[in-house]
């Protein structure tokens, strides 16, 4: 299993693919598939049957997963950056390699 450096709640920017340049918040990380679901990015239309939750049915737009390699973390200044780890005593901290600030 690989170590993913993007976590739920991070703000990311898409750096490759059809949605290049789009930004959003990570809603969910799918560790086993190396993918993440980003809010408002990679929207797909899904046809749904009528059910108890949606008695009308119809076409629903939802976010689809996007590969982690196509995402880059945004630091507080809105710049893309890589993520590193360092130890502070017994605590493991994530930091921005561009600005050397703790995330």
């Amino acid at each position: 299993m690989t170590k993913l450096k993007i976590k739920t709640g991070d703000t990311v920017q898409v750096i490759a693919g059809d949605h290049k340049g789009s930004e959003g918040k990570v809603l969910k990380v799918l560790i086993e598939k190396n993918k993440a679901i980003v809010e408002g990015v990679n929207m797909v239309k899904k046809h749904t049957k009528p059910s108890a939750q949606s008695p009308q049915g119809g076409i629903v737009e939802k976010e689809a997963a996007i590969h982690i390699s196509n995402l880059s973390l945004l630091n507080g200044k809105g710049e893309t950056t890589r993520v590193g780890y360092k130890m502070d005593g017994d605590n493991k901290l994530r930091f921005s390699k561009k600005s050397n600030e703790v995330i």
Side-chain angles (χ1 to χ4, degrees), residues 28 30 33-38 41-42 44 62-68 71:
K28 187 175 182 181
L30 307 171
K33 293 183 178 180
N34 286 339
K35 294 187 175 193
I37 298 175
V38 182
V41 178
N42 201 17
V44 294
K62 60 183 259 182
E63 293 96 357
I66 188 166
H67 201 272
I68 292 287
L71 301 175

Side-chain angles (χ1 to χ4, degrees), residues 12-57:
V12 295
Q13 182 177 29
V14 180
I15 59 172
D18 293 340
H19 303 283
K20 183 176 181 176
S22 301
E23 298 177 5
K25 186 176 176 183
V26 176
L27 300 175
K28 187 175 182 181
V29 177
L30 307 171
I31 297 169
E32 61 280 349
K33 293 183 178 180
N34 286 339
K35 294 187 175 193
I37 298 175
V38 182
E39 184 177 28
V41 178
N42 201 17
M43 300 295 286
V44 294
K45 293 182 188 236
K46 180 172 174 68
H47 296 262
T48 58
K49 283 185 169 183
S51 64
Q53 285 90 13
S54 61
Q56 185 70 23

